Every structure is written in structure tokens, then in C-alpha cells.
Amino acid sequence: MGAINQFYDGKLESGILEPDTKRAHHLADEIIQESQHIIWVETPIENQFLEQRNGTSYFNTPEIDAIERLCQQFENTWASRVANGEPKKEIAVITFYGAQLRKIDERLQSELFPSLEIRTGTVDRFQGMERPVVIVSMVRNNSKGDVGFAKKPERVNVAFSRAQELLIIVGCHNLFTHQPGKVGSMYSEVSNIVSIHEG
């Protein structure tokens, strides 16, 4: 809520008593702590982490590597719960680019994650939907300072407001938080919330 409150003039309030308990994700492992509900997995502006172009779209393989690793950890953490009769953990992986979505779909085959219910989509297609865990792949990482589609506040609001228990942003923190003007301050605000909550 803190990450998107800027889009509502700070007027959002939690409608849940004890939200940390009621919205616990139960996915604590070596990367994610039980107390964390928003995390930014930072990638540096270095050659092996840069975006690649595919026609008019973009993809970013190191981000997909990170997402696959996160899902593998979720699988390992959640498998025992499914074995005890609990439902699969619902996870959404969303991105701003079609080329990235296709590559995510190739990588996150459902048989590799039998304890997870993974749904993928573009940010625009995900409007109105929610999932307990949402991973947002930002894709853009370049030395030109271009964030592409991710500069519209409406889109960023949709991307960061789909998660009920845990939001994970995967992308180049430097690129997004150092944008000029409103775009940079929008991402810096998100980054501040992440830092306050040690994510």
C-alpha cells in the first residue's frame, strides 16, 4: 500500500486489522523474510544485465533467471504445505513487454513448479486482477536512461498494486530511480518504501 499511496495523494488506509498477520505469505527462505512484503531485486547497469531487443519489444534474460530462482525457492518452501492438503500458492509474474512475457512462459513450465499456480501476463492485461504474490519484471536496463513503457504512473500503479501478500520488483534500481522529474520521484518513492521495510 505504501508503494502505491503516492497515486492516491496518500489517502489509502489499510482496511484489515493486523495486516502483517492476515496477509502473511509464509514463504520465508534465504532471500525473503516473513516480515517482508515488498522487495526490490536490483540488477546493475552492467553488460551482462542489459536489456535485449526483439523487433519492437524488449527482453531481459538475467531478470528471468532471477524470477526462475525465486519461483524455485517458493516451490521448495510451499511443497510441504501442498503435501499436507493446502492449495497451491498463487503467483503472478507480470511485465511491461510481450517479448519478455514469451520468454518467461518458456521458462516457467508448470511441471517444474507443482506446488505453485503461476499466472503470467502483461501489466495492461492484469488490470483488475490480484494475486497473493506478484513478481514484476521491469525489463529495461540500458546506459541511455530509457525506461520505455514504465514511465506512465497509471501503468506503474497497476503493476505495483496487484499483490495481496508479497510484491517483488525485479529490475535495474539505478535506472528507474535516477530518471528526471516525476518519473524518477515516483520510483524513488517506491524505493523509499522498500528501504523502510528492509526489502
Side-chain angles (χ1 to χ4, degrees):
M1 188 187 79
I4 60 163
N5 219 342
Q6 58 178 308
F7 304 118
Y8 301 93
D9 302 322
K11 294 194 170 92
L12 290 181
E13 290 178 30
S14 175
I16 304 171
L17 294 171
E18 300 169 22
D20 284 353
T21 317
K22 294 248 172 45
R23 290 282 193 250
H25 51 73
H26 304 298
L27 290 169
D29 56 39
E30 61 183 274
I31 297 176
I32 292 156
Q33 310 308 308
E34 204 61 67
S35 60
Q36 293 171 321
H37 296 275
I38 180 167
I39 290 163
W40 194 317
V41 179
E42 297 182 26
T43 57
I45 300 181
E46 289 173 12
N47 278 344
Q48 69 263 41
F49 291 96
L50 300 183
E51 67 198 36
Q52 291 174 270
R53 197 172 176 134
N54 183 343
T56 57
S57 194
Y58 292 88
F59 66 96
N60 188 314
T61 305
E63 287 189 17
I64 302 171
D65 295 340
I67 290 164
E68 183 180 28
R69 187 169 163 209
L70 285 163
C71 288
Q72 200 54 64
Q73 295 215 348
F74 296 158
E75 173 64 33
N76 298 345
T77 309
W78 202 255
S80 60
R81 288 174 174 263
V82 171
N84 288 332
E86 285 193 46
K88 293 180 179 186
K89 190 72 169 182
E90 290 185 68
I91 292 170
V93 181
I94 60 176
T95 182
F96 294 92
Y97 290 92
Q100 183 78 339
L101 177 61
R102 287 190 291 278
K103 290 188 179 292
I104 287 168
D105 284 340
E106 284 166 18
R107 192 81 72 86
L108 299 184
Q109 300 288 328
S110 55
E111 60 270 17
L112 299 172
F113 308 100
S115 309
L116 309 179
E117 188 73 57
I118 301 175
R119 174 151 193 171
T120 63
T122 58
V123 170
D124 292 346
R125 277 220 310 264
F126 231 78
Q127 199 152 359
M129 287 192 262
E130 291 182 319
R131 286 291 179 277
V133 179
V134 174
I135 303 172
V136 183
S137 176
M138 303 301 291
V139 179
R140 303 307 297 269
N141 188 342
N142 55 71
S143 52
K144 301 190 296 286
D146 184 4
V147 298
F149 293 148
K151 60 169 84 74
K152 288 198 168 149
E154 306 78 26
R155 272 204 168 115
V156 176
N157 185 7
V158 169
F160 294 171
S161 62
R162 307 294 98 201
Q164 297 161 316
E165 299 170 357
L166 176 62
L167 171 66
I168 302 175
I169 302 159
V170 180
C172 184
H173 182 266
N174 253 11
L175 175 68
F176 289 92
T177 55
H178 288 82
Q179 289 295 302
K182 285 187 173 154
V183 177
S185 58
M186 170 174 71
Y187 283 105
S188 294
E189 178 72 23
V190 173
S191 176
N192 289 342
I193 296 292
V194 174
S195 298
I196 290 165
H197 297 285
E198 300 175 343

